[in-house]
Amino acid sequence: MTVLIPAFEPDMRLIALLHTLAQQDLRIVVVDDGSGQGYISVFEQARTIGCTILTHPTNLGKGCALKTGFSYILENMHETEGVITADADGQHLPIDILHVAEELRRTHTAIVLGARRFTGHVPARSVFGNLVMRAVFAFASGRNVWDTQTGLRGIPAELLPLLLRVRGARFEYEINMLLDLANAGYKFQQIFIDTVYTSGNATSHFRPLVDSVRVLLPTLRFCVSSIAAAVTDYILLFVFQWLTHSLLLGVVLARASSSGVQYVLNRSLVFHSRLTNKKQPHRAAQYYLLVLGLLGLNYLILKVLTGPMHIWLVWAKLVTEMILFFVSYLAQRLLVFKHPVIN
């Protein structure tokens, strides 16, 4: 089992952690992500403890540091059990790292996540950020992950080549990793760990505004397809109604056109995982059955809103699209494009 620790400007907390881990049956790889001359002594101490030190000349980001470590382990260490990723800022206790290692040995194929409880003296921004990311991730992936931003993860050895294909250079890499693994059908195993924060969370290099945007941006691709299809449908409804003078025909033609746009985007961008090449040809048939159901629902809602409720078509269409956005997304996530969980 190998422990991989990306480090940027670490303090002596890293050395204390390494001393404890070195006493266990673990190999340790530390990636110096461009910390600079002022931190050479820290990494030299880590080397004397017995760690392998990899160095980036400049700061490239946590995602790049993890990929550098994965590549080195694949090429030089012939790891067969798996890799434990941990942070260098003192937030992961040795006992929790060992618990994740034990769980990974037990499960073999599942990705083990060390989930912080977020209890005690935890910064309010961390609690709020976790709640938001948990909700966004659940909506985007259909999976319930308690701590989407945990850096303590147990990764089976056979997944390392796949994780080199995950997009992202900085903190967004970790959420991309979970999204791609979820899309590919891999199983998550979660164990609770202690939540450790220094005063003001001073050891963390996570920038609340910039890096929160980086983390959230990848999840937006799960909404782009539906929004593009909704805009297409919205515009074409008025075009076809003006041409045919029929609400029913306008709805049918607009939905038929927009559904083609959405299927192509969903298959290639939204629910596609870069970690699997499995083909499921029946999805097109399932998708268009869903389209027919949504078409009928679309027409019924519009008929009620513009008929008995006397709502102007422009506003009625907006309300309808908001309802269908969530219905369509959840149906596609849970039924049409769902990958079977890999055991």
Side-chain angles (χ1 to χ4, degrees):
M1 189 78 69
T2 302
V3 177
L4 171 60
I5 303 176
F8 175 63
E9 298 182 351
D11 57 22
M12 295 307 294
R13 295 173 189 270
L14 172 61
I15 301 303
L17 173 64
L18 296 178
H19 271 298
T20 303
L21 294 179
Q23 298 172 19
Q24 309 298 320
D25 185 22
L26 296 168
R27 293 178 290 187
I28 306 171
V29 176
V30 178
V31 181
D32 171 11
D33 188 26
S35 299
Q37 295 294 315
Y39 296 85
I40 290 179
S41 63
V42 176
F43 292 103
E44 284 301 319
Q45 289 185 63
R47 200 185 307 274
T48 62
I49 293 171
C51 303
T52 298
I53 308 299
L54 309 176
T55 303
H56 290 168
T58 60
N59 179 249
L60 300 179
K62 188 176 184 180
C64 285
L66 288 170
K67 291 178 184 179
T68 294
F70 293 152
S71 293
Y72 178 85
I73 293 168
L74 279 169
E75 294 171 6
N76 299 278
M77 304 185 79
H78 309 293
E79 180 61 65
T80 58
E81 288 188 305
V83 174
I84 309 300
T85 65
D87 292 344
D89 58 7
Q91 291 195 30
H92 298 145
L93 300 178
I95 188 65
D96 288 326
I97 294 174
L98 294 176
H99 283 163
V100 170
E102 291 170 4
E103 187 66 18
L104 181 59
R105 287 192 179 102
R106 188 186 69 81
T107 60
H108 298 296
T109 58
I111 297 88
V112 181
L113 303 178
R116 296 164 291 180
R117 295 181 186 274
F118 294 98
T119 57
H121 299 291
V122 180
R125 71 180 186 185
S126 296
V127 176
F128 178 75
N130 181 65
L131 289 173
V132 172
M133 285 305 303
R134 193 189 312 165
V136 171
F137 187 83
F139 180 73
S141 69
R143 302 284 193 93
N144 182 23
V145 172
W146 179 264
D147 184 3
T148 60
Q149 293 173 261
T150 179
L152 181 53
R153 303 176 178 191
I155 302 168
E158 59 266 27
L159 293 187
L160 296 183
L162 302 181
L163 296 185
L164 294 175
R165 290 153 48 185
V166 175
R167 295 186 181 94
R170 298 188 179 275
F171 285 102
E172 77 277 11
Y173 174 76
E174 291 183 306
I175 194 70
N176 282 351
M177 181 195 299
L178 293 184
L179 289 170
D180 276 357
L181 290 170
N183 266 1
Y186 288 97
K187 183 180 179 181
F188 298 143
Q189 181 71 28
Q190 304 179 70
I191 60 174
F192 282 109
I193 63 174
D194 287 331
T195 306
V196 181
Y197 283 97
T198 57
S199 178
N201 204 15
T203 60
S204 175
H205 295 287
F206 187 88
R207 297 164 294 180
L209 180 58
V210 174
D211 291 316
S212 292
V213 171
R214 286 183 181 273
V215 168
L216 284 169
L217 274 177
T219 66
L220 295 180
R221 73 177 187 263
F222 290 90
C223 299
V224 167
S225 172
S226 294
I227 293 173
V231 170
T232 301
D233 189 69
Y234 187 85
I235 295 172
L236 290 180
L237 171 66
F238 296 101
V239 172
F240 287 129
Q241 191 200 33
W242 177 71
L243 292 173
T244 64
H245 304 288
S246 168
L247 176 61
L248 175 58
L249 197 53
V251 167
V252 171
L253 293 175
R255 182 62 62 179
S257 301
S258 64
S259 64
V261 172
Q262 189 177 42
Y263 179 74
V264 171
L265 291 175
N266 286 352
R267 184 184 60 185
S268 60
L269 174 66
V270 181
F271 299 111
H272 169 70
S273 173
R274 293 167 61 85
L275 308 187
T276 181
N277 295 316
K278 291 181 292 186
K279 303 294 184 181
Q280 292 180 287
H282 63 276
R283 283 179 172 172
Q286 291 179 333
Y287 176 79
Y288 280 101
L289 284 175
L290 175 63
V291 168
L292 289 176
L294 293 175
L295 178 61
L297 184 60
N298 188 355
Y299 177 72
L300 289 175
I301 294 174
L302 281 175
K303 196 68 175 177
V304 170
L305 293 179
T306 59
M309 299 185 69
H310 302 290
I311 297 176
W312 186 31
L313 180 60
V314 173
W315 299 115
K317 183 60 176 173
L318 285 174
V319 172
T320 302
E321 287 304 326
M322 289 176 64
I323 295 172
L324 294 182
F325 174 85
F326 291 102
V327 173
S328 176
Y329 179 85
L330 292 175
Q332 290 177 66
R333 161 57 65 193
L334 300 176
L335 299 174
V336 179
F337 292 101
K338 182 179 181 180
H339 280 280
V341 175
I342 299 173
N343 294 313

